Amino acid sequence: MKVLVTDPIADAGLERIREAGHEAVTAYDVSGDELLDAISDAHGLIVRSGTEVTEAVFEAAENLIIVGRAGIGVDNIDIDAATDHGVIVANAPEGNVRAAAEHTVAMAFATARSIPQAHARLRAGEWAKGDYLGTEVNGKTLGVVGLGRVGQQVAKRLGPLGMDIVAFDPYIGEDRAEQLGAELVDLDTCLDRADFLTVHVPLTDETEGLIGEAELAQLEGGYVVNTSRGGVVDEAALAEAVKDGVLAGAALDVFTQEPVSPDNPVLDVDDIIVTPHLGAATEAAQENVATSTADQVVAAFNDEPVINALNAPSVDESAFPRIRPYIGLAETAGKVAANLFEGRIGTIEVTYGGDIAEEDVELITASAQKGVFEPLEWQVNAVNAPQVAKERGIEVSETKSRQAQDFQSFVSVTVTDGEESLTVSGTLFAGEDPRLISIDGYRVDAVPHGHMLVARNRDEPGVIGFIGSTLGEYDVNIAGMFNGRETIGGEALTVYNLDDPVPDDLVADLLADDRITDVSYIELNGTE
């Protein structure tokens, strides 16, 4: 498969892709129509912050499976459009965490001690020892806005240096904050108490301009360090606050516009230290994010878990071998249920019993939805299936139980229109061998693979023979047959695994016999 790389990454990432047998193509200067042409036959795309991955990109890339962001921030990727097109978006949040945290600490010390300013004047021949009176961090309060991966690492480094830590993060629990030695507070309290404020949040509608004129005024006499994303801190307001002496200083590694515009007001304020987005610029960080991103692209190609997927169900790598066989089984159960159900599907319920109920089953449930939607000819996969269900007004639910009847584990998919319902259940024999064990209440033992014919008929002598003979007349070979019935002489359901496809005329001939009430032909995974 082809992976297009449009922003520079470490060679180690490119080698990972090639070692896995895929093609890695670099195109670092493409944009606009050139990007749309380059992406047209790609299966994977790797970017950093320089490439805008818009809806037009997804429209042009019919074969695209995954977009990998070699870094943390994904504000340059239209994730909603990716989801609509069934494309996984994954980032590499761990690879540059240490580098970003260390740069934050370095920037905090640099602004507190005016290191760049003193350096510049000394190089110019000035011995300005008396012009700089620095601030010690010991005994001061560190305010952390965003106690995620980077924010936590900053707290771990500055806390032991004698700083009290307060943090604002509505998405983290108090227990975790306490483990880091931080007090979780609201934003106003964080700003009021902080002597140093570090910012570690993504740029979203919620965080854009989060630290503006009013917030900076609350930090009177303090310092601001932003190494997360430009636009979170109002740069014009920051420049004014430092120039007017409201703040003692500031340090920025990120800007609203990058490369930074020459007329950006922060460049004219001597007490604002600036660096050109160097937070992740270490050799180790660049190699880590490149290999991590490449590994996730390769995993997506292999239908393996994408650990840092942002818009698709993911699963811990150690748990994946336990759930992997159930992914295809649930998809098949959903597909069979949708093919056999005659009503308008309004609800999907996925039920887990036995050992599998103890696992993280989000990916299995998404696959079950994919199976249900496929016969409806909706363009869907495990990435966009939950979104498709929401848009179509289909309610999806999960049920788990430790009880598994006669099996170690089972998965059931039930579709309903509010009045009628149909359930298909499956299990694994010997740990890896999938079987359908129940269809619409009939016990069966069917292999969920290849060509499948499901017939409902009266339980009378000669019916199965007639079906077999008709299949033979059309040169369709029976690989396996599984029969279930309600009562002797009542209705029966028979599942045929076939070696060959079933033509429409064959189905018509079967339905012409009044002993047969319904026939459904289903092509499953592995169909040639």
Side-chain angles (χ1 to χ4, degrees):
M1 293 187 177
K2 176 182 174 180
V3 181
L4 180 67
V5 185
T6 57
D7 293 315
I9 65 171
D11 289 343
L14 302 176
E15 288 304 312
R16 285 286 178 94
I17 293 168
R18 291 164 181 154
E19 287 170 1
H22 304 292
E23 180 185 10
V25 177
T26 59
Y28 297 151
D29 297 322
V30 296
S31 61
D33 291 341
E34 288 182 342
L35 174 59
L36 301 186
D37 290 340
I39 196 69
S40 61
D41 62 344
H43 302 87
L45 172 65
I46 293 179
V47 302
R48 295 183 65 189
S49 59
T51 301
E52 291 292 325
V53 188
T54 64
E55 183 170 6
V57 172
F58 295 108
E59 290 283 354
E62 294 184 0
N63 300 319
L64 197 61
I65 297 171
I66 181 171
V67 174
R69 165 64 165 95
I72 298 177
V74 291
D75 43 282
N76 57 315
I77 302 172
D78 189 335
I79 296 180
D80 289 338
T83 302
D84 289 341
H85 287 80
V87 178
I88 300 169
V89 177
N91 64 351
E94 299 290 350
N96 57 13
V97 166
R98 182 184 298 274
E102 289 183 358
H103 194 67
T104 303
V105 173
M107 295 283 270
F109 277 112
T111 187
R113 301 303 297 267
S114 302
I115 293 172
Q117 298 93 325
H119 168 82
R121 291 180 67 179
L122 185 57
R123 290 290 297 270
E126 296 184 62
W127 186 261
K129 181 178 179 179
D131 291 350
Y132 297 105
L133 186 64
T135 299
E136 296 182 13
V137 299
N138 179 54
K140 301 300 190 296
T141 297
L142 172 67
V144 181
V145 176
L147 201 58
R149 293 178 175 90
V150 177
Q152 290 180 21
Q153 291 299 317
V154 170
K156 287 180 179 180
R157 284 160 172 75
L158 290 177
L161 296 180
M163 299 196 79
D164 296 323
I165 301 172
V166 294
F168 167 69
D169 191 325
Y171 305 108
I172 196 169
E174 290 186 4
D175 289 346
R176 179 55 180 157
E178 289 177 4
Q179 291 173 4
L180 297 163
E183 180 185 351
L184 208 58
V185 297
D186 60 32
L187 181 58
D188 282 339
T189 303
C190 184
L191 295 167
D192 287 337
R193 292 173 56 181
D195 299 299
F196 289 79
L197 188 80
T198 64
V199 181
H200 313 283
V201 296
L203 180 63
T204 65
D205 291 341
E206 184 180 10
T207 63
E208 186 172 9
L210 181 67
I211 308 299
E213 181 180 359
E215 289 75 22
L216 294 170
Q218 291 179 255
L219 285 163
E220 184 175 1
Y223 299 86
V224 173
V225 179
N226 183 18
T227 60
S228 60
R229 278 291 178 268
V232 177
V233 177
D234 185 323
E235 292 163 3
L238 180 67
E240 196 68 26
V242 176
K243 185 170 63 175
D244 291 348
V246 175
L247 295 179
L252 298 179
D253 185 48
V254 291
F255 305 89
T256 303
Q257 178 184 338
E258 295 184 3
V260 66
S261 171
D263 60 1
N264 190 312
V266 301
L267 301 181
D268 297 326
V269 183
D270 190 51
D271 288 327
I272 298 180
I273 297 169
V274 292
T275 52
H277 207 146
L278 299 180
T282 69
E283 185 176 345
Q286 292 305 298
E287 184 165 322
N288 288 341
V289 297
T291 55
S292 173
T293 305
D295 287 344
Q296 292 188 85
V297 170
V298 172
F301 290 168
N302 294 336
D303 290 326
E304 294 175 351
V306 178
I307 303 303
N308 294 312
L310 301 175
N311 65 334
S314 59
V315 64
D316 186 85
E317 193 170 8
S318 63
F320 185 66
R322 297 193 296 272
I323 72 164
R324 181 172 190 167
Y326 292 93
I327 295 172
L329 179 62
E331 180 179 337
T332 299
K335 186 173 184 178
V336 172
N339 269 286
L340 298 179
F341 190 65
E342 296 181 353
R344 180 190 178 279
I345 296 173
T347 301
I348 302 169
E349 181 178 0
V350 187
T351 302
Y352 301 91
D355 293 347
I356 189 62
E358 299 296 310
E359 303 290 347
D360 179 353
V361 296
E362 184 182 11
L363 183 56
I364 305 176
T365 299
S367 296
Q369 295 174 64
K370 175 180 182 292
V372 171
F373 297 149
E374 188 174 337
L376 305 178
E377 297 183 353
W378 297 349
Q379 296 300 310
V380 65
N381 59 19
V383 177
N384 61 7
Q387 180 68 19
V388 169
K390 182 178 180 181
E391 291 173 352
R392 303 277 178 156
I394 297 175
E395 182 180 346
V396 180
S397 63
E398 278 181 11
T399 303
K400 291 184 174 183
S401 172
R402 285 291 299 151
Q403 303 300 315
Q405 301 172 0
D406 301 328
F407 306 97
Q408 185 172 349
S409 293
F410 73 87
V411 177
S412 294
V413 180
T414 301
V415 295
T416 178
D417 60 5
E419 297 181 0
E420 302 294 328
S421 65
L422 189 145
T423 301
V424 177
S425 302
T427 191
L428 300 175
F429 289 164
E432 290 286 338
D433 192 12
R435 289 288 192 277
L436 296 182
I437 54 175
S438 176
I439 297 177
D440 199 21
Y442 294 91
R443 287 292 295 267
V444 297
D445 180 10
V447 177
H449 188 79
H451 305 277
M452 177 181 286
L453 189 76
V454 180
R456 296 178 187 267
N457 54 271
R458 295 203 300 269
D459 182 37
E460 295 180 5
V463 177
I464 291 176
F466 168 71
I467 294 174
S469 297
T470 305
L471 289 167
E473 290 173 5
Y474 282 86
D475 293 324
V476 176
N477 192 51
I478 299 173
M481 185 196 76
F482 313 93
N483 184 60
R485 63 184 183 183
E486 291 178 334
T487 58
I488 298 174
E491 184 179 75
L493 183 143
T494 309
V495 179
Y496 299 86
N497 283 119
L498 307 171
D499 292 332
D500 309 288
V502 174
D504 293 340
D505 289 347
L506 191 159
V507 173
D509 286 353
L510 293 176
L511 290 172
D513 190 303
D514 60 9
R515 296 171 298 177
I516 299 173
T517 57
D518 188 50
V519 176
S520 296
Y521 169 57
I522 307 170
E523 293 184 350
L524 301 177
N525 294 333
T527 301
E528 296 182 356

